[in-house]
Amino acid sequence: MARPKLTTSPNRRHQILEQAAGLFKTNGFNATTMRQLAEQTGMEAASLYNHISSKEELLREICFSVANDFNAHLLQLEADDSCSSRKMEAIIRFHIHMLLTKYNDVYVSNRDWKHLKEPWLTNFLNQRKQYENRLAAIIQQGIDAGKFKPVHPHVAVLTILSAVRSIEYWQRSKKAISSKQIADDLVMMLLKGLEQ
Amino acid sequence: MARPKLTTSPNRRHQILEQAAGLFKTNGFNATTMRQLAEQTGMEAASLYNHISSKEELLREICFSVANDFNAHLLQLEADDSCSSRKMEAIIRFHIHMLLTKYNDVYVSNRDWKHLKEPWLTNFLNQRKQYENRLAAIIQQGIDAGKFKPVHPHVAVLTILSAVRSIEYWQRSKKAISSKQIADDLVMMLLKGLEQ
DNA sequence: GCACAAAACTAACGCTTGTTAGTTAATGAA
DNA sequence: TTCATTAACTAACAAGCGTTAGTTTTGTGC
């Protein structure tokens, strides 16, 4: 009667997920084959299906893991009573932190979410839209308080989120400039502007 | 002895290229099939090869056409003797203008250049790196003149280029906010910052 | 050592892909 | 008319894909 086994099974699955994130990042979701992934994890392609149910499931776990992290952080920040400026700085720094610590996952989630299947695709997009709306609300509060320039809040949100993604380019050659320097420059530029 | 024909041939080829850009933008390069492209242009997949030599050739023409436009504009701007701030604003506005007027091409070039084959891939990357270096030089001049904050110029370049790509998200639903408003907000945020 | 489930394997299926080969109808110059 | 050229067609190939089926090995609890 099916006793639980407690072998290395959960580790193995986690290991597959990590390798998948690396391959997805490097080659893209579509261009990554199950045979490549199998080779990296030291087994045959068919054997992967003892641990996962489909290729898309791997992508799904990556995307929603990242989405959950961002949602959790924002939820915690919204409860805070600091001013809009500090909140926006915290958000920018958290995005940078996520890109630095979970580079593969965030990169794949940013680029390959289109390959999610329904109903998860719709769910993912709804979560993202909600996230952007909540950021826009924070910016609107800053504008109302006279702390931010009267730009359209949604434009500001997308500008900031796009700008933060420039970190993706630095992750590869992060020797030349320190992560802290990049993060500080980014926060400065986005909040105070490039001009003196 | 092979007299030139002057049929509709060049138009047909140009039409294929336009449809390809649209499909690449919507579905991505890999996910776009020659049979889809054939259907859109009203012929069979095999017939396309009377006008083009490969699928990648279509991508190549798109990418290098965009690269040429950006290079030409920068070359012209460098000859100008306006200050660094005006130059950077002109660059930002030109990127926005390109995204608005050649949306499909710029979008595809930004995302799908990875699928170029050698030696064009290397050539494309070299051109892009050179372009970024020339932008960084302009920013460095601004810093030296005390007009820009002393951020690392390459960080500033990538931040600005990434931020400008947020326009991609607006192109779809451009009814809510006017293009001019978005462009002005973007220039303001990047040069003067979000904070008042 | 026996039973049994987890996890590996081999083999193959069904489908899609970009592209080629060979053929046919239309067009325009000589 | 003749004849070369263009541009369409049909058919098919060779390769690669994700996935399934069926089988064998491995490891642990009793």
Side-chain angles (χ1 to χ4, degrees):
Chain A
M1 246 180 208
R3 231 31 29 178
K5 269 215 358 173
L6 294 190
T7 60
T8 57
S9 173
N11 300 341
R12 204 93 173 91
R13 190 174 200 283
H14 186 259
Q15 177 192 353
I16 291 173
L17 210 65
E18 267 195 347
Q19 302 282 355
L23 286 172
F24 290 168
K25 178 212 70 184
T26 305
N27 308 118
F29 175 75
N30 266 339
T32 299
T33 73
M34 296 304 277
R35 286 162 180 84
Q36 279 180 309
L37 178 57
E39 195 183 11
Q40 285 237 344
T41 49
M43 57 173 119
E44 292 301 313
S47 309
L48 291 169
Y49 289 85
N50 288 318
H51 303 279
I52 61 165
S53 71
S54 73
K55 184 188 179 186
E56 189 242 3
E57 189 193 51
L58 291 167
L59 178 65
R60 202 188 309 152
E61 297 206 10
I62 292 170
C63 289
F64 282 94
S65 148
V66 171
N68 284 341
D69 284 354
F70 280 118
N71 278 330
H73 175 261
L74 184 53
L75 206 60
Q76 169 191 333
L77 192 76
E78 283 169 333
D80 203 293
D81 62 347
S82 51
C83 71
S84 312
S85 278
R86 284 188 191 280
K87 280 185 180 171
M88 282 315 299
E89 177 171 348
I91 287 164
I92 293 171
R93 289 197 184 274
F94 183 71
H95 274 257
I96 295 172
H97 174 256
M98 284 287 288
L99 263 166
L100 291 176
T101 56
K102 303 190 177 180
Y103 180 53
N104 292 348
D105 289 349
V106 177
Y107 193 104
V108 169
S109 171
N110 275 344
R111 183 193 54 193
D112 286 332
W113 55 264
K114 295 184 192 186
H115 301 106
L116 289 171
K117 289 180 182 166
E118 296 293 0
W120 296 280
L121 176 57
T122 300
N123 184 309
F124 183 86
L125 285 176
N126 284 341
Q127 280 197 45
R128 200 175 67 163
K129 179 159 269 182
Q130 270 201 353
Y131 184 82
E132 290 169 1
N133 285 344
R134 287 154 72 193
L135 292 198
I138 293 178
I139 289 181
Q140 184 64 59
Q141 288 164 14
I143 295 174
D144 293 343
K147 289 215 154 202
F148 290 159
K149 298 202 177 73
V151 296
H152 193 291
H154 276 91
V155 173
V157 167
L158 290 188
T159 301
I160 290 172
L161 292 186
S162 286
V164 161
R165 288 188 59 180
S166 68
I167 297 280
E168 288 173 2
Y169 302 112
W170 291 105
Q171 176 68 2
R172 302 173 201 175
S173 58
K174 57 179 171 184
K175 304 156 198 167
I177 316 178
S178 80
S179 304
K180 184 174 179 345
Q181 169 97 51
I182 296 175
D184 289 344
D185 281 3
L186 236 172
V187 169
M188 162 118 69
M189 283 191 61
L190 291 176
L191 294 184
K192 314 260 189 208
L194 176 61
E195 288 183 354
Q196 198 67 271
Chain B
M1 245 176 208
R3 220 79 327 214
K5 267 217 2 173
L6 294 189
T7 60
T8 58
S9 173
N11 300 340
R12 204 92 173 93
R13 189 173 201 283
H14 187 259
Q15 176 192 355
I16 291 172
L17 209 65
E18 267 196 346
Q19 302 282 356
L23 286 172
F24 290 168
K25 179 211 70 185
T26 305
N27 309 118
F29 175 74
N30 266 339
T32 300
T33 73
M34 296 304 277
R35 285 160 180 86
Q36 279 180 309
L37 178 57
E39 194 182 13
Q40 285 236 344
T41 48
M43 57 172 115
E44 292 300 315
S47 309
L48 292 169
Y49 289 83
N50 287 319
H51 304 279
I52 63 165
S53 71
S54 72
K55 183 188 179 187
E56 190 241 3
E57 190 193 51
L58 292 167
L59 178 64
R60 202 188 310 152
E61 297 207 10
I62 292 170
C63 290
F64 282 94
S65 150
V66 170
N68 284 341
D69 285 354
F70 280 117
N71 279 329
H73 175 262
L74 184 53
L75 205 62
Q76 169 191 334
L77 192 75
E78 283 169 332
D80 201 296
D81 63 346
S82 52
C83 72
S84 312
S85 279
R86 283 187 192 279
K87 280 185 180 170
M88 282 314 299
E89 176 171 350
I91 288 164
I92 294 170
R93 290 197 185 273
F94 184 71
H95 275 257
I96 295 172
H97 174 257
M98 284 287 288
L99 263 165
L100 291 176
T101 56
K102 303 189 178 181
Y103 181 52
N104 293 348
D105 289 348
V106 177
Y107 193 104
V108 169
S109 172
N110 275 343
R111 184 193 53 193
D112 287 331
W113 55 265
K114 296 183 191 187
H115 302 106
L116 289 170
K117 289 180 183 167
E118 295 294 0
W120 297 279
L121 176 58
T122 299
N123 183 309
F124 183 85
L125 286 175
N126 283 341
Q127 281 197 44
R128 202 176 65 162
K129 178 160 269 181
Q130 271 202 352
Y131 185 81
E132 291 169 2
N133 285 343
R134 286 154 73 193
L135 292 198
I138 293 178
I139 289 181
Q140 184 64 58
Q141 288 165 14
I143 295 173
D144 293 342
K147 290 215 154 201
F148 290 159
K149 297 202 177 75
V151 296
H152 194 291
H154 276 92
V155 173
V157 167
L158 291 187
T159 301
I160 290 172
L161 292 186
S162 287
V164 161
R165 288 188 60 179
S166 68
I167 296 280
E168 289 174 1
Y169 302 112
W170 292 104
Q171 176 69 1
R172 302 172 201 177
S173 59
K174 59 178 169 184
K175 303 156 197 169
I177 316 177
S178 80
S179 303
K180 184 173 177 350
Q181 169 96 51
I182 296 175
D184 290 344
D185 281 3
L186 237 172
V187 170
M188 163 116 70
M189 283 190 60
L190 291 176
L191 293 184
K192 315 262 186 205
L194 177 60
E195 288 183 354
Q196 199 66 271

PDB file of all heavy atoms in Angstrom, chain B residues 53-67:
ATOM      1  N   SER B  53      15.144  34.198 -50.474  1.00  0.00           N
ATOM      2  CA  SER B  53      16.019  33.025 -50.485  1.00  0.00           C
ATOM      3  C   SER B  53      15.916  32.215 -49.198  1.00  0.00           C
ATOM      4  O   SER B  53      16.279  31.045 -49.161  1.00  0.00           O
ATOM      5  CB  SER B  53      17.465  33.439 -50.727  1.00  0.00           C
ATOM      6  OG  SER B  53      17.959  34.095 -49.588  1.00  0.00           O
ATOM      7  N   SER B  54      15.443  32.834 -48.123  1.00  0.00           N
ATOM      8  CA  SER B  54      15.248  32.077 -46.887  1.00  0.00           C
ATOM      9  C   SER B  54      14.415  32.901 -45.914  1.00  0.00           C
ATOM     10  O   SER B  54      14.253  34.119 -46.079  1.00  0.00           O
ATOM     11  CB  SER B  54      16.587  31.709 -46.251  1.00  0.00           C
ATOM     12  OG  SER B  54      17.195  32.859 -45.702  1.00  0.00           O
ATOM     13  N   LYS B  55      13.929  32.225 -44.901  1.00  0.00           N
ATOM     14  CA  LYS B  55      13.148  32.906 -43.865  1.00  0.00           C
ATOM     15  C   LYS B  55      14.034  33.908 -43.122  1.00  0.00           C
ATOM     16  O   LYS B  55      13.609  35.017 -42.802  1.00  0.00           O
ATOM     17  CB  LYS B  55      12.595  31.862 -42.886  1.00  0.00           C
ATOM     18  CG  LYS B  55      11.695  32.400 -41.799  1.00  0.00           C
ATOM     19  CD  LYS B  55      11.373  31.295 -40.796  1.00  0.00           C
ATOM     20  CE  LYS B  55      10.486  31.796 -39.662  1.00  0.00           C
ATOM     21  NZ  LYS B  55      10.316  30.776 -38.599  1.00  0.00           N
ATOM     22  N   GLU B  56      15.253  33.502 -42.877  1.00  0.00           N
ATOM     23  CA  GLU B  56      16.157  34.373 -42.131  1.00  0.00           C
ATOM     24  C   GLU B  56      16.473  35.649 -42.906  1.00  0.00           C
ATOM     25  O   GLU B  56      16.721  36.690 -42.314  1.00  0.00           O
ATOM     26  CB  GLU B  56      17.459  33.621 -41.800  1.00  0.00           C
ATOM     27  CG  GLU B  56      18.370  34.356 -40.829  1.00  0.00           C
ATOM     28  CD  GLU B  56      19.705  34.680 -41.450  1.00  0.00           C
ATOM     29  OE1 GLU B  56      19.909  34.382 -42.643  1.00  0.00           O
ATOM     30  OE2 GLU B  56      20.557  35.244 -40.738  1.00  0.00           O
ATOM     31  N   GLU B  57      16.461  35.563 -44.230  1.00  0.00           N
ATOM     32  CA  GLU B  57      16.728  36.760 -45.030  1.00  0.00           C
ATOM     33  C   GLU B  57      15.710  37.845 -44.726  1.00  0.00           C
ATOM     34  O   GLU B  57      16.054  39.047 -44.694  1.00  0.00           O
ATOM     35  CB  GLU B  57      16.695  36.413 -46.528  1.00  0.00           C
ATOM     36  CG  GLU B  57      17.185  37.530 -47.417  1.00  0.00           C
ATOM     37  CD  GLU B  57      16.852  37.279 -48.883  1.00  0.00           C
ATOM     38  OE1 GLU B  57      15.671  36.983 -49.193  1.00  0.00           O
ATOM     39  OE2 GLU B  57      17.752  37.377 -49.719  1.00  0.00           O
ATOM     40  N   LEU B  58      14.468  37.453 -44.501  1.00  0.00           N
ATOM     41  CA  LEU B  58      13.432  38.425 -44.160  1.00  0.00           C
ATOM     42  C   LEU B  58      13.790  39.137 -42.863  1.00  0.00           C
ATOM     43  O   LEU B  58      13.739  40.371 -42.775  1.00  0.00           O
ATOM     44  CB  LEU B  58      12.083  37.711 -44.017  1.00  0.00           C
ATOM     45  CG  LEU B  58      11.496  37.151 -45.305  1.00  0.00           C
ATOM     46  CD1 LEU B  58      10.348  36.200 -44.999  1.00  0.00           C
ATOM     47  CD2 LEU B  58      11.027  38.282 -46.198  1.00  0.00           C
ATOM     48  N   LEU B  59      14.148  38.346 -41.854  1.00  0.00           N
ATOM     49  CA  LEU B  59      14.547  38.928 -40.574  1.00  0.00           C
ATOM     50  C   LEU B  59      15.744  39.853 -40.737  1.00  0.00           C
ATOM     51  O   LEU B  59      15.802  40.942 -40.167  1.00  0.00           O
ATOM     52  CB  LEU B  59      14.878  37.800 -39.588  1.00  0.00           C
ATOM     53  CG  LEU B  59      15.358  38.231 -38.205  1.00  0.00           C
ATOM     54  CD1 LEU B  59      14.269  38.983 -37.464  1.00  0.00           C
ATOM     55  CD2 LEU B  59      15.819  37.032 -37.393  1.00  0.00           C
ATOM     56  N   ARG B  60      16.679  39.417 -41.557  1.00  0.00           N
ATOM     57  CA  ARG B  60      17.912  40.177 -41.768  1.00  0.00           C
ATOM     58  C   ARG B  60      17.606  41.564 -42.322  1.00  0.00           C
ATOM     59  O   ARG B  60      18.123  42.570 -41.853  1.00  0.00           O
ATOM     60  CB  ARG B  60      18.798  39.397 -42.738  1.00  0.00           C
ATOM     61  CG  ARG B  60      20.263  39.736 -42.679  1.00  0.00           C
ATOM     62  CD  ARG B  60      20.996  39.054 -43.807  1.00  0.00           C
ATOM     63  NE  ARG B  60      20.683  37.618 -43.886  1.00  0.00           N
ATOM     64  CZ  ARG B  60      20.728  36.911 -44.998  1.00  0.00           C
ATOM     65  NH1 ARG B  60      21.052  37.498 -46.148  1.00  0.00           N
ATOM     66  NH2 ARG B  60      20.427  35.622 -44.994  1.00  0.00           N
ATOM     67  N   GLU B  61      16.736  41.597 -43.337  1.00  0.00           N
ATOM     68  CA  GLU B  61      16.418  42.889 -43.947  1.00  0.00           C
ATOM     69  C   GLU B  61      15.724  43.805 -42.953  1.00  0.00           C
ATOM     70  O   GLU B  61      15.960  45.016 -42.931  1.00  0.00           O
ATOM     71  CB  GLU B  61      15.550  42.680 -45.187  1.00  0.00           C
ATOM     72  CG  GLU B  61      16.271  41.882 -46.256  1.00  0.00           C
ATOM     73  CD  GLU B  61      15.767  42.185 -47.652  1.00  0.00           C
ATOM     74  OE1 GLU B  61      14.996  43.139 -47.825  1.00  0.00           O
ATOM     75  OE2 GLU B  61      16.156  41.446 -48.582  1.00  0.00           O
ATOM     76  N   ILE B  62      14.869  43.236 -42.128  1.00  0.00           N
ATOM     77  CA  ILE B  62      14.176  44.030 -41.114  1.00  0.00           C
ATOM     78  C   ILE B  62      15.188  44.617 -40.127  1.00  0.00           C
ATOM     79  O   ILE B  62      15.207  45.824 -39.878  1.00  0.00           O
ATOM     80  CB  ILE B  62      13.133  43.168 -40.369  1.00  0.00           C
ATOM     81  CG1 ILE B  62      11.982  42.791 -41.307  1.00  0.00           C
ATOM     82  CG2 ILE B  62      12.605  43.894 -39.143  1.00  0.00           C
ATOM     83  CD1 ILE B  62      11.031  41.767 -40.742  1.00  0.00           C
ATOM     84  N   CYS B  63      16.033  43.760 -39.591  1.00  0.00           N
ATOM     85  CA  CYS B  63      16.974  44.205 -38.549  1.00  0.00           C
ATOM     86  C   CYS B  63      17.943  45.264 -39.070  1.00  0.00           C
ATOM     87  O   CYS B  63      18.184  46.279 -38.403  1.00  0.00           O
ATOM     88  CB  CYS B  63      17.739  43.009 -37.997  1.00  0.00           C
ATOM     89  SG  CYS B  63      16.725  41.884 -36.997  1.00  0.00           S
ATOM     90  N   PHE B  64      18.500  45.026 -40.244  1.00  0.00           N
ATOM     91  CA  PHE B  64      19.518  45.958 -40.733  1.00  0.00           C
ATOM     92  C   PHE B  64      18.905  47.239 -41.280  1.00  0.00           C
ATOM     93  O   PHE B  64      19.560  48.286 -41.271  1.00  0.00           O
ATOM     94  CB  PHE B  64      20.417  45.274 -41.761  1.00  0.00           C
ATOM     95  CG  PHE B  64      21.439  44.376 -41.122  1.00  0.00           C
ATOM     96  CD1 PHE B  64      21.183  43.020 -40.956  1.00  0.00           C
ATOM     97  CD2 PHE B  64      22.639  44.886 -40.650  1.00  0.00           C
ATOM     98  CE1 PHE B  64      22.111  42.193 -40.346  1.00  0.00           C
ATOM     99  CE2 PHE B  64      23.573  44.070 -40.039  1.00  0.00           C
ATOM    100  CZ  PHE B  64      23.306  42.715 -39.888  1.00  0.00           C
ATOM    101  N   SER B  65      17.684  47.171 -41.728  1.00  0.00           N
ATOM    102  CA  SER B  65      17.006  48.397 -42.128  1.00  0.00           C
ATOM    103  C   SER B  65      16.838  49.322 -40.924  1.00  0.00           C
ATOM    104  O   SER B  65      17.102  50.527 -40.993  1.00  0.00           O
ATOM    105  CB  SER B  65      15.642  48.041 -42.734  1.00  0.00           C
ATOM    106  OG  SER B  65      14.714  49.082 -42.505  1.00  0.00           O
ATOM    107  N   VAL B  66      16.418  48.748 -39.817  1.00  0.00           N
ATOM    108  CA  VAL B  66      16.252  49.544 -38.595  1.00  0.00           C
ATOM    109  C   VAL B  66      17.602  50.071 -38.109  1.00  0.00           C
ATOM    110  O   VAL B  66      17.744  51.247 -37.764  1.00  0.00           O
ATOM    111  CB  VAL B  66      15.570  48.692 -37.499  1.00  0.00           C
ATOM    112  CG1 VAL B  66      15.607  49.419 -36.162  1.00  0.00           C
ATOM    113  CG2 VAL B  66      14.143  48.373 -37.897  1.00  0.00           C
ATOM    114  N   ALA B  67      18.590  49.188 -38.097  1.00  0.00           N
ATOM    115  CA  ALA B  67      19.915  49.605 -37.632  1.00  0.00           C
ATOM    116  C   ALA B  67      20.449  50.754 -38.473  1.00  0.00           C
ATOM    117  O   ALA B  67      21.034  51.711 -37.942  1.00  0.00           O
ATOM    118  CB  ALA B  67      20.872  48.413 -37.673  1.00  0.00           C
TER     119      ALA B  67
END
